């Protein structure tokens, strides 16, 4: 059994990791940390886990975490970068669900995240944990930077088009929408049910932290600069991301559906729907899958790609576990074969 | 007192008209029709109206409706066109909330609405009831084609840019989202709460009936052909439309905020928010207003306009009443000065 | 025009007062206080009020509030009791929406509210603002203790039975449910949409602060001690309270429907539905009405009364305004003739 | 591998069975019927099952179903009784999720369900599938009548009290609340999101079909007649039932918590929370568990029991699978060890 630790076990990505790991046959959760809830049983804070986990929250200490084979950081930004180096020095593999190691340029990271990076030297070692792009590198990595939720949906949606050079990469639009769990489990006005329920709005239209991450990912594929307009919105629901992507075709789009099907034919967690489908976030809720559909409305040059994930699963904890499976040579889908919860 | 009739009083736009007319000082609701509920008191079907209306539903008959000064059609498409001519011949002004008279080209109408038009000759007389564009014509009209809900939000959002020729009109994108009340009050699987709740999806991405209406409206202003990609989505909430509009600027966008403020300075029901705001559908819920905000993300050429309305008010019944006020020479805002219901 | 002030204008009852006062013909809102938002325009914080109010938030100071004819306290518990005496000394009528003056016994108040009462001497002067019980006293009052939201729905539901001595008053059950806006507008985990949405639970089953208030009200009518089991629940929605009341009949219940209709026949804001109806909170959302229905399931001795209100209107701000209308000799319904927002 | 068939595979309990069976190691789903969707792939109708099931819907025919070892009826009431006898004659075990075999008295069944019973002789053979009461009988049964959703939550909540004779069984109250998926997947007005969303109401207060089922179950335990007032309500959410139970104690209630813990100590799917807890439906969403908490408010004689389940799992398909596991000698929890989906 692989022994894993979870730092930040009281956030939504932490508890989601626990839900998934409860079904994983080769993993034992040995440490779950929480500064505020140290000493409490995990299932006292999360009664949904009663019967599935016996652990008690402990304070986040390197010493205790060093016994683990792998440690997940399900923490706010700025925490993993403080502990990753020490853990790695002791042979622990680090899987970071936060943003600390996503951007390759520390200057850009500091600009978007508003703090100094504590270990810029480690950034280069970090492998960006999008298996559909980096599978081989992930297998050998000691430090994984798991992609953000929006970047997962957007990159998987644009990927085949950009790899094949079919679209004008300087005029891309990503109109993205997320359920409120993406904002995390913290007391704040804006995600109160009275504020976020029964309403819909855009936010951070002038620049969201996931924008440079998406652009970095797309540019690596395009091998040229990419122009992307990226507008996030808040959906009055809990789980789910829907990315509506607009890409002007350079030539006619006849083979696009086949291209997507071919590109993802061997991917266990990317599911290309029949041409003209409308993927629904409910169909991926709780599951580790990205469902994608392609449209070419009225046969015009503007291609529309619809890409949905559960922000907490394929957009966070499920993808982190998929990375762990790859890192430890397990079946990539171990613990992740879970049908979505419908209705 | 102006005597009005409502045909189709059991749909959401019908009951919303009744809510608004209950507060109108110069109108008496004398006839409310419903084929299915004829004979029942209106407030038996709609207990929210107890104490506000004494009327009994009657069958939809021209004879009875002819006593009215104005008749609203809050019916499914295809009904108003069967009765409008007779009513107008008897001096009744007709305000149609359905799509029957929105498209000027009957061939196009028949293509999108899948039925033969019953009175194509009347189409030309119909005035498109968007007061911000057609106020003077509305005042003298006998037949009003009220705009669709999406077309209201989208046209008001693009209008100033297109009037001034500031954007590439062949590369517009409207990513639009609507609450489920837009689908009407009829038994169907797709808008069951178990189906539409806690989920988000696009629909009709390949062509929605509101697309030709928006294009017709924009082309009239642009005086040239317009290329628009229009993708509607269903939001898991009841009321509200959020249009996220993408328009490539032809030159830099410095004066855009001032342009919007200037364009709508005298409009009682279009409210331009400060630059960079994020309008929230909750702030217009129940009110007759369109709130608009402009963004130019990262100073790039792609302008983003956010435009929100309540689909049942400014997107339907409120706008219909605004039209009626204009037609009868009342204060345009009579019965419509209602703050939105927050939270 | 009566000049009114609102202390605590940034909570939900405060902004709801502003919505209602915007339509009131005899009132001018001259002061709105907020410690945190002092200096900001009210409509900057609440864009739903754009066009309806020009006021700027000010700090809560007795001096400034003394110019008002009446001051509403839409504050957390413990604030009104600090300022009421000074304001009343300067001739200002005080209408308190918080709990400070609801309980007649200061010892009991201190037990349930966990703080010392700052002006116990004033409690006796305070009139409990339930017009259906205390209308005449309200007209002459200078200090009103507006009822809590649950107590309004529960008392109006039980009132006729207890006045007539028809039920076993020592074995009453009130199973009450509230939307999340009842928890107020403050950053906290439990009312995050991710926590409160798509879920249902009881809370404070062992004793909610509204319990002693309800018992005090019922005992005053019963003129004997009352035994009530009171279990509140949180509904995954924003506005609305549904009280399901169980009362064992002392004799058969044949005349109960007539009793309710008779009791409330002249009440402008209590609406008795036909026997066996199921009132729906949506039908009172945004309106100042309590809708009540009576059931006697299977003809057994246990009577069931269903009572619904909008917690922010008849359960708070609407009732406060109803009280103000009575205090100033206005039409009791002025500013409150607003149909509920359906759907 | 046990071969199972599902009749009525397009309702919510049908698709939920498929979700659960996808994870079951000893079962192969060989037939899924649907009159309307015969010929379509199951995962075309339910994209949430893509990758988990290859089956095509077939018409419901006894011949084809006879190859199965067990057949689940996830049908509306009145269907299972038409086919059960033929299937059983061919050696197929029948597990009925509908109400056809729940009531032992066919006359009462006909009164509450409004149709004639097609095979009253079979009723006696049917074992009521509540494992916590009937485990041994279930193991040997050929026909299982799975309990209704409300009856599951209510009976498990009252059970220990009634077994021990601790409460006045003629004065019980069950105030029960359900998410809208309990109403099934059929086109109807009342469960449209615009009707059921953001609102709360009681329904069938004068007599719900689950009432005689609960009374039959409780009377079997009490060995005397039981008086129960049972009021169901509709919660604006999709999954979950919350039963709030009121039972007057005959003596003091000190040992009640220990009684519950003892009664359910060996039950894999009944989880007694610490005294005074408030179980939340979110913590059982998607899981097969009933979480129960006991309260004795203010130490009074009225005991309050809170009992929550997911209506589609422990209230329907999960419990059906639990029954199947018992019937075939499998581990009772096979396929049912699934943590709830939180948030």
């Amino acid at each position: 059994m692989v022994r894993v630790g979870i730092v930040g076990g009281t956030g939504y990505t932490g508890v989601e990791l626990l839900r998934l790991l409860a079904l994983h046959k080769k993993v034992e959760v040995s440490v779950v940390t929480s500064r505020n809830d140290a000493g409490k049983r995990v299932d006292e804070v999360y009664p949904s886990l009663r019967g599935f986990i016996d652990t008690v929250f402990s304070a986040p200490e390197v010493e205790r975490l060093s016994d683990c084979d792998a440690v997940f950081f399900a923490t706010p930004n700025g925490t993993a970068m403080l502990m990753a180096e020490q853990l790695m020095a002791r042979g622990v593999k680090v899987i970071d669900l936060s943003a600390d190691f996503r951007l390759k340029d520390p200057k850009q990271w500091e600009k978007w995240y508003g703090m100094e990076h504590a270990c810029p030297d480690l950034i280069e070692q970090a492998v960006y944990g999008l298996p559909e792009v980096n599978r081989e590198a992930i297998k050998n990595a000691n430090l994984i930077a798991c992609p953000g939720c929006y970047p997962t949906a957007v990159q998987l949606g644009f990927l085949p088009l950009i790899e094949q050079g079919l679209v004008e990469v300087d005029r891309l639009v990503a109109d993205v929408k997320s359920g409120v769990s993406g904002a995390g489990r913290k007391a704040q006005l804006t995600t109160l049910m009275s504020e976020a329920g029964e309403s819909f709005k855009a936010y951070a239209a002038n620049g969201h932290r996931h924008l440079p991450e998406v652009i970095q990912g797309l540019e690596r594929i395009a091998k040229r600069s990419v122009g992307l307009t990226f507008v996030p919105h808040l959906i009055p629901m809990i789980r789910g991301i829907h990315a509506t992507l607009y890409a002007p075709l350079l030539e006619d789009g006849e083979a696009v559906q086949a291209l997507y099907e071919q590109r993802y034919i061997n991917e266990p967690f990317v599911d290309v729907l029949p041409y003209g489908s409308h993927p629904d976030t409910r169909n991926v809720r709780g599951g580790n899958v990205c469902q994608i559909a392609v449209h070419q409305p009225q046969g015009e040059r503007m291609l529309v790609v619809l890409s949905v994930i559960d922000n907490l699963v394929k957009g966070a904890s499920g993808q982190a576990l998929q990375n762990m499976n790859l890192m430890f040579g397990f079946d990539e889908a171990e613990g992740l074969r879970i049908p979505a919860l419908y209705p």
Side-chain angles (χ1 to χ4, degrees), chain A residues 247-259:
Chain A
L249 283 166
L250 288 166
E251 41 197 299
D252 75 59
E254 271 179 39
V256 169
Q257 174 72 16
L259 167 67

Side-chain angles (χ1 to χ4, degrees), chain A residues 19 282-289 336-342:
Chain A
R19 178 180 77 94
R282 73 179 180 194
N283 290 325
V284 300
R285 184 171 45 209
N288 191 49
V289 70
L336 295 170
R337 281 186 207 88
I338 308 174
L341 191 71
Y342 160 84

